[in-house]
Amino acid sequence: MRAASPGLRAAVILVALVLVAPTLVVIPMSFTAGTTFSFPPDDWSLRWYREFVTDPAWRTAIFNSLRIAVAVAALSVVLGTAAAIGLVRATFRGTTVLRALLLSPMTVPNIVTAIAVYVLFLRWQLNGTYLGFVLAHTAVALPFVVISVSSSLQGFDRRLETAASSLGASPWTVFRRITLPLVLPGVLSGAVFAFVTSFDEVVIALFLQSPTLTTLPVQMYKSVTLEIDPTIAAASSVVVVVVSLLILLPQLRAARRLVKENPA
Amino acid sequence: MSTTTFGQGTRIEISHLTKRYPGTVVPAVDDVSVTVAAGEFMTFLGPSGSGKTTTLNMVAGFTDITSGRIVLGDEDVSGLPPHRRDLGMVFQQYALFPHMTVEQNIAFPLKQRKTPAAEITRRVAEALELVHLSEYGKRYPSALSGGQQQRVALARAVVFAPRALLLDEPLGALDRKLRSTLQDEVRRMHRELGLTFVFVTHDQEEALALSDRIAVFNAGGIEQVGTPEELYLRPATLFVAEFLGESNVFHGTLDRARRAYHWQGSTWSAPSAASDVDGALLVRPERLQLNVDSAAVPAEHNGLSVRVVSDIFLGTHHKVELRMPDGSTGSAMVPVSAARDFRPGDLVHASWAPEDQSVVAVPAGGPGDVPGAAPRDGLAPPASRSATAAH
Amino acid sequence: MPPRPARRHVPRVLLFLPALALLAVAFGLPLLQIVLRSFTDPDVGLTNYTAMLDDGITTTVILRTLRVAVTVVVLALLLAYPYAYVMSIASPAGRAVLTTLVLLPFWTSLMARNFAWLLLMQDGGPIQRFFSLFGLDVVLLGTTVGVTVAMTQVLLPFMVLPLYSSMQQIDRRLLQAAQSLGAKPRTAFRKIYLPLSAPGVVAGCTLVFILSLGFYITPALLGSSQQSLVAQLLAIRTTALLDFAGAGALGTVLLVITGLVLAVIGRFARPASSLAAATGGVK
């Protein structure tokens, strides 16, 4: 393959900068000693990191976000995997409609979902509750699980199950020992998607939140609009660094493997 | 179909062509020279990694040349980009444009050449007729079978009257039966069009069936160029002999002065030998005669005693597997008419006429390393690198 | 999870029920309720819709939102296409780097990224100071231009990933074939590569367009109430004015626009699936 031309290279470097660079501004900001967003900071300190980990409002928000995201990941993996198996294996008509229904939360603008859920949950008194958050976030996360599991099921040789049955395995054993291990990568990536979707979700959360139940993104939003306090810079930096490490580590390992295989 | 519509043969002269990829020591193609005559059907035959496809890609212009020259007719095209070489090319996986109909695919090269619309229509129709697909012009490639797709690819590659047609394993993706039908088609097109064809394949039967001449590639170089008969009957190297058909191989020493070949205590007459050096003596299985009675062996024959391992009936022939005195194996093809029952364990006389044997060079890597293996980063090159055999 | 070897129909249907039940409670019913409400509250009829047309604001906001969404789509496509193209032809190592650079913002907190733009665009911030070097006074915070710039950057991964996923499937030999048939490299790109990458273009544009239509956080943080987008208007109607029926009407309009876009596009591509395939594939 011929290499990209110089013009194309320059364009790619530019776009790469556009993708990554703006976000990095939060890192120097987080080390400010001042109490405003004045950038670049005049003096440096770690005070906003201390604030981030000691302030009860922030601590509770992190804890709530984790608690909700774990529940959402678990719930949407169970429901989504079952539905994906049903979709791929269905013999009756109408699976296209079912599939469209299952994926529909992806195609409805977030803000519309948010106000709709807010209005109905207000009547059901689910606003500001753990259950309300988990239900609403699971609805948004479910499509990701359905897609990743059904795509891993599509490449799955059903004769393996027939073979297992013929060797005396009960249907439950076939599922546990054959089907599940083979679609596990799809299930896991669906779980990760669901977790992140919930952990990062801010629009629906802004509507469902209450003074007693706030998630991390909501706390960040409030801190920008109401408190105007650099703690959010520390919070953002932590989130950015943690996510970057989570993504970079497997990539680095893959890169090292690549280098090992082609030493030249 | 007139030969002028779809172009005519142009001579292709490849001289001292070398391709060295950055960061590698051994060149992928090493000093290859061969000339394809105008209108000739030339096949590049060799195992994968032997450099045949790289050579073709350099001719087509897809791969940059490290050194050497490619001349089409009188024009040196070595530095020319692919779209200005005027060479038709047929790819292994068809490479039909999926978003265009059959007609649009075939019209594509004509449009690139700003051919008037009326002429495009006429020539597309002619090209479709040439490959017997006139009914299929409005279809999309995905609605055609593999064989039909390959015929569209052929029509597309010749419709603009290219200087020559390059075919890169064009039949590799097809099943056996379809492949033989399309071989007939390719041969017919070559005959009707009079175009120069350069055909790349790793399938020796296909090469023998189609070609005027074959260039056998191995480890980045050409081992031998010749007609199918020459290559089969007078292989220049052990590699050529073993790549094209089966052989019984005897690794011994040649005594040129006495025109004799010594092997395991036997001395055979060797009236002519292709190689100057110690090498291997080869006999094709169908040239081997088996006799139980030593008196039946013709006097002028070379021969030895061998043990029968098995006897397999193949319809027209018996294939008799043999064990030589040194423990190596060999085989003989015995016509059914001449056959008698050989039982495993029988001791028989195997013999052949001296003119049916070939004595060839063995590469420095020694015997046993040669057949098929020839990795790209492999052995020292065999004896003759740039073969320009008689036509 | 119930096991399913093919005996009867019933257990298979049961596999869908839990997921559908949850979607009904936390997605379907809420939407249905709010749409119904827009036609029935306070009276049965189109009151809420006629009010929306007459208030002099809503139509302006909808048109502004559509304009912003189209601009974001065009800008994102211009930036993403060459990037995705190079991703698809790069060496494995180069591709890994480029993929990581798209996934970083894709996974990074939306709030953090919007906050970063706030820092960059604020009064006396880095962007203003950079342009003042050339004697320009650039105000982005609180303007539609600022919102458009930030939205383009935030949504860029959603354009790159579907593009890359469709470009990856293009057989590169088709370009060689085109060149062997006499097409210049540029012509080969225009006539072969561009049309074959169209499904990815359609998928990416649809995805980014729909996300832009309902984008809330960026305009809420970086825009202004004088130049608000539909999402801001919806939020205000709902939480500040408690005009659920009016919000429902506006939400319904947004749903209808989205539905129309998807219905037209649905013939060519499946944006949601292609994004999921892309992100799932590079994870």
Side-chain angles (χ1 to χ4, degrees), chain A residues 159-173:
Chain A
R159 281 171 304 180
L160 295 176
E161 294 179 339
T162 319
S165 308
S166 77
L167 296 170
S170 71
W172 171 242
T173 311

Side-chain angles (χ1 to χ4, degrees), chain B residues 45-390:
Chain B
L45 174 68
S48 64
S50 61
K52 59 190 192 306
T53 299
T54 309
T55 304
L56 191 79
N57 278 335
M58 284 191 279
V59 174
F62 297 133
T63 301
D64 295 333
I65 295 172
T66 306
S67 64
R69 242 159 56 101
I70 295 164
V71 178
L72 294 182
D74 301 322
E75 187 190 0
D76 185 339
V77 298
S78 309
L80 225 52
H83 66 273
R84 290 180 42 205
R85 293 197 181 188
D86 261 338
L87 291 167
M89 177 127 182
V90 178
F91 296 79
Q92 182 169 16
Q93 301 291 341
Y94 324 128
L96 296 179
F97 306 131
H99 58 304
M100 298 181 188
T101 62
V102 167
E103 279 176 357
Q104 287 168 335
N105 262 284
I106 298 176
F108 185 89
L110 299 173
K111 287 203 173 128
Q112 300 315 308
R113 289 166 175 78
K114 311 261 186 285
T115 313
E119 200 187 335
I120 290 183
T121 317
R122 183 177 61 78
R123 293 188 47 179
V124 168
E126 279 181 16
L128 278 171
E129 204 178 308
L130 176 75
V131 294
H132 307 304
L133 284 175
S134 298
E135 312 294 307
Y136 295 85
K138 304 285 182 220
R139 294 213 193 168
Y140 282 90
S142 55
L144 302 181
S145 70
Q148 289 168 333
Q149 291 187 29
Q150 195 53 280
R151 272 146 62 187
V152 175
L154 279 166
R156 186 180 70 175
V158 299
V159 70
F160 60 99
R163 295 196 269 200
L165 186 61
L166 313 180
L167 305 100
D168 183 9
E169 307 234 3
L171 311 180
L174 303 170
D175 66 53
R176 198 179 173 79
K177 190 161 171 241
L178 204 52
R179 198 153 64 208
S180 89
T181 316
L182 272 148
Q183 282 176 10
D184 293 344
E185 192 99 342
V186 167
R187 201 183 301 113
R188 179 180 63 84
M189 279 180 71
H190 178 247
R191 208 172 47 231
E192 285 182 12
L193 301 177
L195 258 177
T196 309
F197 276 37
V198 181
F199 188 96
V200 164
T201 184
H202 62 265
D203 182 334
Q204 37 127 341
E205 280 179 43
E206 196 165 278
L208 292 175
L210 291 173
S211 321
D212 292 331
R213 282 194 303 154
I214 300 172
V216 180
F217 277 71
N218 179 34
I222 292 180
E223 297 259 334
Q224 188 178 3
V225 181
T227 64
E229 290 82 359
E230 283 167 358
L231 294 182
Y232 189 81
L233 298 175
R234 297 271 167 266
T237 67
L238 187 58
F239 178 85
V240 173
E242 302 215 321
F243 199 73
L244 287 165
E246 287 182 58
S247 294
N248 293 295
V249 184
F250 302 94
H251 292 286
T253 48
L254 176 69
D255 183 343
R256 291 190 69 77
R258 296 202 189 125
R259 303 185 164 224
Y261 192 85
H262 302 289
W263 182 81
Q264 299 274 326
S266 306
T267 299
W268 297 322
S269 70
S272 65
S275 130
D276 314 333
V277 292
D278 287 356
L281 186 149
L282 310 171
V283 187
R284 298 288 186 191
E286 66 274 16
R287 300 291 174 181
L288 220 52
Q289 275 187 25
L290 297 183
N291 289 293
V292 177
D293 182 3
S294 64
V297 176
E300 69 281 11
H301 270 199
N302 291 329
L304 73 165
S305 289
V306 297
R307 208 168 278 286
V308 172
V309 177
S310 65
D311 180 348
I312 307 160
F313 175 62
L314 294 176
T316 55
H317 285 78
H318 283 261
K319 180 175 186 185
V320 185
E321 306 264 6
L322 306 170
R323 185 167 307 281
M324 307 297 175
D326 66 340
S328 63
T329 55
S331 66
M333 291 293 235
V334 184
V336 172
S337 54
R340 41 154 303 159
D341 279 347
F342 294 105
R343 289 209 200 85
D346 283 357
L347 203 60
V348 295
H349 294 279
S351 67
W352 63 91
E355 60 268 27
D356 287 337
Q357 73 196 23
S358 325
V359 179
V360 298
V362 175
D369 282 351
V370 186
R376 196 184 280 208
D377 53 351
L379 313 165
S384 68
R385 293 253 75 160
S386 52
T388 22

Side-chain angles (χ1 to χ4, degrees), chain A residues 14 32 71 73-74 86 101 114 133 162 168 172 204 237 264:
Chain A
L14 177 83
T32 184
L101 274 181
F133 268 98
T162 319
W172 171 242
I204 295 173
S237 303

Side-chain angles (χ1 to χ4, degrees), chain A residues 12 15 18-19 37 39-40 79 86 89 104 107 115 117-119 135 147 193 196 200 221 224 239 247-248 251, chain C residues 9 12 16 18 26-27 30 33 79 86 100 104 107 109-110 118-119 122 126 129 153 220 234 238 258 262 276 279:
Chain A
V12 167
V15 176
V18 168
L19 279 168
F37 291 151
F39 189 90
L79 300 188
R89 304 283 163 86
S104 57
T107 49
I115 58 156
V117 169
Y118 169 75
V119 172
L135 285 177
I147 287 170
F193 258 116
V196 174
D200 196 33
Y221 186 88
V224 176
V239 173
I247 292 173
L248 286 176
Q251 299 276 1
Chain C
H9 262 21
R12 296 208 175 176
F16 297 104
F27 179 72
Q33 159 251 183
L79 290 172
V86 172
T100 310
L104 279 176
W107 288 104
S109 153
L110 191 65
L118 187 76
L119 292 178
Q122 65 181 321
R129 257 181 296 158
Q153 193 264 345
L234 264 172
T238 312
T258 311
L262 285 177
T279 50

